[in-house]
Amino acid sequence: MTRTAPRACAALVSSVRNRRHAIAPLPFSAMPKYQFSVHVKSAFAPEHSDPAQQRYTFTYTVTVQNTGEVAAQLISRHWIISDLSGRTEEVKGLGVVGHQPLLQPGEAFEYTSGCQLRNPTGAMHGSYFCVAEDGARFDVPIPEFTLDADGNGHEGHVLH
C-alpha cells in the first residue's frame, strides 16, 4: 500500500533564489522550435532535518533554459516525490515559487525550493507545462533525480 508523505515542498523553502539571466543561445539551425533544458542540483539540509522524528529535508535548485526558437512561458509544475519506503506524493501547482517566467530563446530562470521525506533517501521527477508565445502548448519532462541525506548533493543535466 502506498502512503502519502507529509506535505512536501509546501512548508519549507528556507532560501528561495530567483534569477533570470541570458545564456548564449544555441545556433537557431540546431534548435527545435519548442524546447527547454532543465538542470537540477539537490542537497540535504541537515539544519532543517530531525532524523529522530523521521524528517529529512532537502533543497533542490532548478535552472530552466529556453533552448528553442520561440519565447515560451512556464505555466505549471507537476512533481512526483518518493522515498525508499514506497511513500509517494504528487504535487501540482501553478508556476514555480510564485513565478510563471516567460523565457525568450536563450533566457534562463533559476529557483530553489525544498521538500521533506520520512527517509534519508528518495527521488523526484516530473514535468513543466509551457505555452509558447505563438499559442503552442508543450510539456517539458524532468527525469528523476536523487535526494540523498548521505550524499553531497546530486546534479543532473537534462535536455528536452
Side-chain angles (χ1 to χ4, degrees):
M1 175 194 320
T2 300
R3 293 176 40 201
T4 301
R7 186 170 172 97
C9 301
L12 174 79
V13 177
S14 62
S15 70
V16 174
R17 296 177 306 156
N18 303 300
R19 288 187 263 159
R20 282 185 168 201
H21 52 280
I23 296 177
L26 297 171
F28 278 99
S29 61
M31 294 189 302
K33 194 169 184 176
Y34 311 109
Q35 179 172 290
F36 278 21
S37 68
V38 178
H39 173 250
V40 180
K41 179 169 177 52
S42 64
F44 177 56
E47 67 279 10
H48 296 287
S49 299
D50 186 354
Q53 297 296 316
Q54 294 184 317
R55 189 175 70 224
Y56 298 86
T57 303
F58 298 88
T59 62
Y60 52 93
T61 299
V62 180
T63 304
V64 181
Q65 182 184 9
N66 183 346
T67 54
E69 298 174 8
V70 178
Q73 186 171 19
L74 190 158
I75 302 297
S76 63
R77 71 194 182 283
H78 177 207
W79 289 108
I80 298 172
I81 307 164
S82 57
D83 66 23
L84 283 180
S85 71
R87 288 183 181 90
T88 299
E89 180 176 4
E90 193 167 337
V91 177
K92 294 181 179 183
L94 291 176
V96 290
V97 295
H99 297 272
Q100 292 180 317
L102 172 62
L103 301 175
Q104 298 297 320
E107 191 174 31
F109 181 80
E110 181 177 86
Y111 69 95
T112 298
S113 191
C115 66
Q116 291 184 344
L117 301 178
R118 289 187 170 188
N119 292 294
T121 304
M124 291 178 65
H125 69 279
S127 62
Y128 296 125
F129 171 70
C130 301
V131 177
E133 71 179 355
D134 64 7
R137 299 165 183 246
F138 62 100
D139 290 310
V140 178
I142 306 165
E144 187 171 276
F145 60 93
T146 302
L147 304 167
D148 186 2
D150 297 326
N152 293 324
H154 300 277
E155 290 194 45
H157 297 275
V158 182
L159 292 178
H160 297 287

